[in-house]
Amino acid sequence: MRKNIVAGNWKMNKDLNEGIALAKEVNALAAQAVPKCEIVLGTPFIHLAEVSKTVDDSKITVAAQNCADKVSGAYTGEVSAAMIKSTGAEYVILGHSERRAYYGETNAILKEKVNIALANGLKPIFCIGEVLAEREADKHFDVVKSQIEEGVFHLSPTEFGKIVLAYEPVWAIGTGKTATSAQAQEMHAFIRGIIVKKYGAQLADDTTILYGGSCNPTNAKELFANPDVDGGLIGGASLKAGDFMAIINAF
Ligand code: 13P
């Protein structure tokens, strides 16, 4: 059975105290509600251990936003998948367009990160999505297909079953410009279709595909109502507990 997920991506926001306060607020709101989806908080590395201890893990799980492409050793400043796992985190966001654009993360590097994350018991939330010029040139399907093929299609069916995909059109991230509900559904159905061809209908049907890009309390309901949109990866609106909870309650 496919899981619905609403995941916050805090990006590089909130110092430790602010982050713990936000996690406590989300936790308190979630305790009063009966969320119809799994809630994930994607925090900076330094928050992971404390936030993991703060939240009720029957409702809320924790994600890192990146991990190293090496297992361990002399890689100053890097954080390994094993270290992330030891904080209590369950997920790691990989391949976010900001990592691809600003930190040179290629599909080849991401493939390594996916392998290492899985080997350490972390579930990747693997992001894909086209930039505006690619959509305008009608290349968005090709771009997303190759990101998926090169990033995660080397996995065995059992491994692939642990992956969550997040379609984030880059032109919609932080811009206030959301993909229309129809554009999101069209791409999500396309993605599920290529998973059917690679892994078969059952695994494709079980795969959670999130939408990300200016998802907010106003548009979440319409986006999540699509048959192939299984939740959201939320940036800006995840920084306010009330807005994040309103998105969760859109299910
Ligand atoms: P916004 O919700 O701020 O557009 O960010 C989306 C995103 O990048 C989530 O990973």
Side-chain angles (χ1 to χ4, degrees):
M1 262 288 282
R2 180 189 319 171
K3 244 199 265 183
N4 290 327
I5 298 175
V6 173
N9 176 7
W10 293 0
K11 307 192 179 182
M12 197 171 73
N13 293 295
K14 306 283 178 192
D15 69 20
L16 182 58
N17 291 328
E18 292 164 347
I20 293 167
L22 175 58
K24 281 186 178 155
E25 263 190 275
V26 173
N27 194 54
L29 292 173
Q32 292 159 18
V34 188
K36 295 199 190 73
C37 61
E38 185 175 332
I39 303 168
V40 180
L41 299 179
T43 82
F45 289 130
I46 62 146
H47 301 55
L48 289 171
E50 203 58 36
V51 169
S52 288
K53 276 188 254 159
T54 299
V55 295
D56 169 1
D57 64 3
S58 71
K59 282 186 176 167
I60 303 177
T61 51
V62 177
Q65 300 169 18
N66 180 29
C67 73
D69 61 345
K70 305 287 192 300
V71 173
S72 67
Y75 301 102
T76 301
E78 288 295 302
V79 176
S80 74
M83 292 172 191
I84 293 167
K85 181 70 183 173
S86 74
T87 67
E90 252 188 60
Y91 291 95
V92 57
I93 299 169
L94 291 176
H96 193 282
S97 61
E98 288 150 15
R99 303 284 326 161
R100 293 177 189 261
Y102 308 147
Y103 300 98
E105 295 197 358
T106 60
N107 291 334
I109 293 170
L110 292 169
K111 182 176 171 181
E112 277 313 300
K113 293 191 177 195
V114 165
N115 290 341
I116 293 171
L118 287 169
N120 285 281
L122 288 173
K123 293 181 273 188
I125 299 175
F126 190 77
C127 304
I128 59 240
E130 80 285 357
V131 299
L132 186 58
E134 290 162 342
R135 179 162 281 262
E136 285 175 347
D138 209 20
K139 295 211 167 81
H140 44 303
F141 293 116
D142 291 343
V143 168
V144 166
K145 185 165 184 260
S146 54
Q147 287 171 337
I148 294 174
E149 283 175 348
E150 291 171 33
V152 292
F153 268 10
H154 62 286
L155 298 173
S156 71
T158 309
E159 289 166 334
F160 186 81
K162 301 196 170 87
I163 300 279
V164 170
L165 291 173
Y167 170 57
E168 300 205 306
V170 180
W171 45 272
I173 295 177
T175 58
K177 196 171 159 188
T178 325
T180 63
S181 176
Q183 283 173 323
Q185 170 56 26
E186 182 186 36
M187 180 59 87
H188 283 226
F190 169 79
I191 292 168
R192 208 176 300 284
I194 59 177
I195 303 170
V196 171
K197 284 201 197 112
K198 173 75 184 174
Y199 293 106
Q202 186 61 56
L203 198 40
D205 195 50
D206 288 346
T207 302
T208 298
I209 309 175
L210 308 180
Y211 169 80
S214 299
C215 186
N216 61 43
T218 310
N219 59 29
K221 207 175 182 70
E222 191 186 346
L223 285 161
F224 298 172
N226 286 300
D228 290 299
V229 177
D230 309 312
L233 184 54
I234 319 299
S238 73
L239 298 173
K240 290 192 188 135
D243 285 357
F244 188 53
M245 207 57 210
I247 295 172
I248 290 159
N249 289 333
F251 271 115

